[in-house]
Amino acid sequence: MTNTPPQYLQAILPSTIDTYNAWISSQGAVPAVDVLAADNSTRLLWVGPKYASKVVLFFHGGGYVMPLSKGHLDWMAHIRKEASNTGIELSVCILEYGSYSEKNRKKKMNAKLSDLIPANPYPRQMSQGISALKHLLNSGYTPSEIIFGGDSAGGHLSLSLMAHLHRHRPFDPLKESAIDLQGAIRGCFLVSPLASLNFNTVSYSRWFSADVLSRKNVEKWGNYLVENSPWQDDISSGNAWGMSMGVPESWWKGFAAIERIILTGGSEEVFRDHIQQLGDLLKRTSEGDVTIHMANETHDGPLMDFAAGRPPSETTKAITDFIISCFGE
């Protein structure tokens, strides 16, 4: 990940839609895809029926560089199964990052398009996340029937969506309007989220050889995300849309858009210090319930569980229990 250019990784790995279609087929199911009207290109990929009693909007990790993995799909299927065991009918919809064009894809004779970064820097994914949430609300889901969240870069996107719900960010050319929730979103889970590009922490120097991530990796992919984008202008003006911890804490004061938040991380990951700091910040500024779960693991423990085929870790159980608890009340 550190030394391979993004375009090479994206050429080697199956695309998000190819991974999704293959996985759905292996489950004996039929793909269910929504193309969002906001830009006629953003896609939501469904695991389970489109209209269940509850829904999880999932933003997958991979630094905005790597596409969706089978491990992510296995993880979401596990959550659905555990929820079903408690009598909760739950579906998952997964956001496909980047732009999609069937015409261009055919023109390239099945060549993979660069739908992630650096082709689509900030705030493209954020605008897609907003459109995805609006789509669920317009489809009939109420805020209390929705939980959103993600791992790593997906956690960063979840924080960006949280920030937008707190203070609307105007968009161009989509010109996304503010979301009128008519009530708070039921919950949000943040798994090893990127919360800062400040590398002067103990965890960055202590765990550089233990974690799957390194400073070089995070810095390089972080630059791909923010270069040639309005990211620095947003941060300099004191707005937390692009990075939750890059602005004064007062910006988050009175955050009330989500009822319950769980933030998880590993004690041996380079994000450790930022995750702990973020959790403390949210506890001080949020009007909802905030839980911090730190485990003896490295980055993105739940994805590692399903990518390696190992039993669910305590972090995976904590997130699953959080979703069931939110929807079970």
Side-chain angles (χ1 to χ4, degrees):
M1 295 195 317
T2 301
N3 297 311
T4 306
Q7 295 90 337
Y8 289 13
L9 285 172
Q10 292 160 14
I12 294 168
L13 295 169
S15 68
T16 289
I17 192 65
D18 288 345
T19 296
Y20 168 75
N21 285 335
W23 186 88
I24 286 290
S25 178
S26 73
Q27 307 298 304
V30 177
V33 178
D34 285 340
V35 179
L36 304 190
D39 59 5
N40 203 34
S41 66
T42 296
R43 296 191 290 197
L44 285 179
L45 316 178
W46 287 88
V47 178
K50 292 184 180 182
Y51 304 105
S53 61
K54 313 292 181 185
V55 65
V56 168
L57 172 58
F58 181 63
F59 305 131
H60 72 83
Y64 298 119
V65 167
M66 301 173 74
L68 179 72
S69 72
K70 178 179 179 295
H72 286 114
L73 290 160
D74 289 340
W75 177 16
M76 292 301 105
H78 170 78
I79 290 175
R80 288 192 67 234
K81 179 181 177 182
E82 293 299 306
S84 178
N85 289 340
T86 66
I88 298 172
E89 182 192 21
L90 176 66
S91 278
V92 176
C93 63
I94 301 170
L95 175 66
E96 180 187 31
Y97 306 141
S99 58
Y100 159 77
S101 170
E102 185 63 34
K103 180 180 179 181
N104 287 342
R105 189 173 297 276
K106 289 180 178 178
K107 185 184 297 183
K108 287 180 177 286
M109 299 179 66
N110 296 322
K112 294 177 183 175
L113 303 181
S114 182
D115 290 343
L116 299 148
I117 62 170
N120 287 287
Y122 171 86
R124 171 60 180 167
Q125 294 79 17
M126 181 181 173
S127 68
Q128 290 182 299
I130 295 167
S131 295
L133 179 57
K134 283 184 177 179
H135 179 76
L136 294 180
L137 294 169
N138 292 337
S139 297
Y141 286 103
T142 65
S144 64
E145 296 168 339
I146 299 171
I147 290 175
F148 68 83
D151 62 313
S152 196
H156 172 265
L157 180 52
S158 299
L159 287 165
S160 292
L161 182 53
M162 285 171 53
H164 180 79
L165 294 175
H166 185 47
R167 299 188 184 189
H168 169 236
R169 183 193 190 282
F171 279 92
D172 185 73
L174 293 184
K175 301 187 185 301
E176 290 286 1
S177 60
I179 299 176
D180 184 10
L181 287 177
Q182 299 294 318
I185 296 291
R186 191 70 180 113
C188 177
F189 58 97
L190 305 165
V191 183
S192 294
L194 171 67
S196 173
L197 289 178
N198 175 5
F199 303 104
N200 297 319
T201 63
V202 173
S203 57
Y204 262 103
S205 59
R206 184 176 182 185
W207 299 117
F208 73 93
S209 63
D211 199 6
V212 65
L213 294 182
S214 66
R215 171 175 175 166
K216 180 180 179 182
N217 184 219
V218 177
E219 188 170 17
K220 183 182 292 185
W221 288 11
N223 286 335
Y224 289 141
L225 176 65
V226 304
E227 284 181 341
N228 302 313
S229 82
W231 184 86
Q232 189 59 58
D233 291 338
D234 285 352
I235 297 298
S236 297
S237 61
N239 293 300
W241 302 309
M243 198 62 70
S244 58
M245 292 177 56
V247 301
E249 181 176 312
S250 58
W251 193 91
W252 284 101
K253 196 68 177 176
F255 178 73
I258 300 174
E259 293 182 20
R260 297 177 62 182
I261 300 169
I262 186 170
L263 173 63
T264 74
S267 61
E268 298 182 4
E269 70 168 297
V270 295
F271 288 174
R272 181 199 64 187
D273 294 346
H274 289 151
I275 291 169
Q276 188 65 59
Q277 293 164 14
L278 174 64
D280 294 341
L281 180 153
L282 291 175
K283 279 181 172 289
R284 292 190 297 268
T285 59
S286 177
E287 296 183 5
D289 179 71
V290 179
T291 300
I292 306 171
H293 176 92
M294 300 298 292
N296 184 28
E297 58 190 34
T298 56
H299 182 69
D300 206 347
L303 176 60
M304 299 302 109
D305 290 346
F306 292 93
R310 67 191 185 195
S313 63
E314 288 303 315
T315 301
T316 294
K317 293 177 182 177
I319 295 163
T320 304
D321 291 346
F322 169 80
I323 292 172
I324 291 173
S325 175
C326 284
F327 285 147
E329 293 180 357

